[in-house]
Amino acid sequence: MIENPGHELRIAWAKLTQNRSNYLRKAIGQETGGHISPLGAYNAGTDRFLVLDVARYKYPPFWVTAADLYAAMNTKVSGNMTRGFVLVRRSRECRLAAVR
């Protein structure tokens, strides 16, 4: 058992600008099925993440505790593979090119 569920999420949120969470909707009280959405904010006072659901027609943005989000990500996809999160950041060497 993990002592501090969601700890990696909190650290990632503090360090990086963008992330995507792959979670099981059923585990957080929504309709069943896996889903991927970006996390828009973290509230340290309530230990909750704001999920910016990409299916806004079905689910508006919502707050979920770090422990509940971790539990929803720590579900099997196939075999021994579990869901999780992806951290996205721009490399320091990255240069944006103007498109004309």
Side-chain angles (χ1 to χ4, degrees):
M1 182 69 184
I2 294 179
E3 288 183 33
N4 194 355
H7 178 71
E8 289 92 5
L9 278 173
R10 290 183 208 98
I11 290 172
W13 183 259
K15 292 182 178 180
L16 300 172
T17 57
Q18 293 186 25
N19 56 69
R20 305 293 179 264
S21 176
N22 181 348
Y23 59 96
L24 182 64
R25 285 184 185 266
K26 185 177 181 180
I28 56 174
Q30 296 177 341
E31 291 182 14
T32 192
H35 192 63
I36 298 173
S37 285
L39 301 178
Y42 173 67
N43 182 322
T46 62
D47 194 26
R48 292 177 182 263
F49 286 92
L50 177 63
V51 178
L52 301 176
D53 202 310
V54 295
R56 293 188 66 172
Y57 67 93
K58 195 170 192 177
Y59 295 105
F62 62 93
W63 290 93
V64 62
T65 65
D68 287 346
L69 182 57
Y70 177 84
M73 290 188 307
N74 193 27
T75 54
K76 301 285 185 196
V77 176
S78 64
N80 289 331
M81 300 289 293
T82 59
R83 292 171 172 82
F85 60 95
V86 176
L87 306 175
V88 181
R89 67 176 164 200
R90 186 174 67 172
S91 168
R92 290 182 181 174
E93 292 79 32
C94 179
R95 300 286 187 259
L96 297 177
V99 178
R100 296 177 188 219

